Each structure stands twice: as structure tokens, then as C-alpha cells.
Amino acid sequence: MKPPKLITPAFVGNFTHIWDELENESTAVYNLPKTENSNDLQSLVDKLIKSLSMMPIESTEIVTSQAHHVLKLYGKSIKGDKVASIIRLASNSKGFMMKNQVKSSNE
């Protein structure tokens, strides 16, 4: 049994404009260990996109550096609220550091 999806992927033409428009913000920082399934930034980005159920924006789903990456995601809640996320990732020998900033049109 899978939990219901609370956010659905959605397209936005101008991510920066929407990001600046959204008022409610939350930030979290995580240290993630490398695993067999997530041993590089691309596999981590793929997992984040799938687990957060949001649409990657501005081709940020493609990792071009194994040292650091910025992933931009956008979606809408089941109530229709806009949700945007900027995830900054950095890789080191032990794992990954991740800073996730999320903004939404409703708390």
C-alpha cells in the first residue's frame, strides 16, 4: 500500500518569478550517507524527484558536476497550492550535504 500523493508535478514557465512570489518558507539541512543505491549526485537527484513527486524545472534534473548541484522542483498540493523547492547538494567522501528550501502559497 502506497501513501497518497499530496503534491503533483506541475510545470511553471518562470521559476524565479514564482519563487519570489511565494511567501511561506521552510528550510532544512541534512547530511546523507552514501549507499549502494545512492552513491553519486545523479542517483540522489533521481530519488529526490521521485520521492517528492515534483517536476524538475530548468533542466536541473541533469547533474553536470559530481561535486555540487542545484535542483529546482515545482508542484501543486492536492488543494491547489503552489509548492516550489530549491535543493542544494554537495558531495564529499562520506556522503552528501543537502539544503532544502521549500516555499508555498499556503502554510
Side-chain angles (χ1 to χ4, degrees):
M1 184 179 248
K2 291 184 178 181
K5 290 186 178 182
L6 301 177
I7 298 176
T8 57
F11 177 77
V12 62
N14 188 334
F15 183 85
T16 303
H17 176 74
I18 292 292
W19 180 261
D20 292 341
E21 200 176 76
L22 299 174
E23 296 178 4
N24 302 302
E25 183 174 352
S26 180
T27 302
V29 177
Y30 305 95
N31 286 312
L32 307 170
K34 289 186 178 179
T35 66
E36 285 183 24
N37 298 329
S38 294
N39 58 4
D40 66 359
L41 283 177
Q42 185 64 62
S43 60
L44 180 57
V45 164
D46 294 341
K47 281 186 169 192
L48 287 168
I49 292 168
K50 184 176 179 179
S51 65
L52 295 174
S53 186
M54 297 173 74
M55 180 174 281
I57 303 298
E58 299 173 356
S59 299
T60 60
E61 72 275 16
I62 301 166
V63 175
T64 57
S65 166
Q66 286 304 313
H68 55 84
H69 185 68
V70 176
L71 175 63
K72 296 178 182 179
L73 301 170
Y74 184 75
K76 290 196 175 183
S77 74
I78 56 174
K79 294 182 179 181
D81 299 314
K82 299 172 185 176
V83 182
S85 178
I86 296 177
I87 302 173
R88 290 174 175 80
L89 301 162
S91 178
N92 62 32
S93 61
K94 295 182 181 180
F96 308 100
M97 293 177 288
M98 178 174 82
K99 179 181 179 184
N100 188 3
Q101 288 178 269
V102 179
K103 285 186 164 186
S104 69
S105 57
N106 194 357
E107 287 185 43

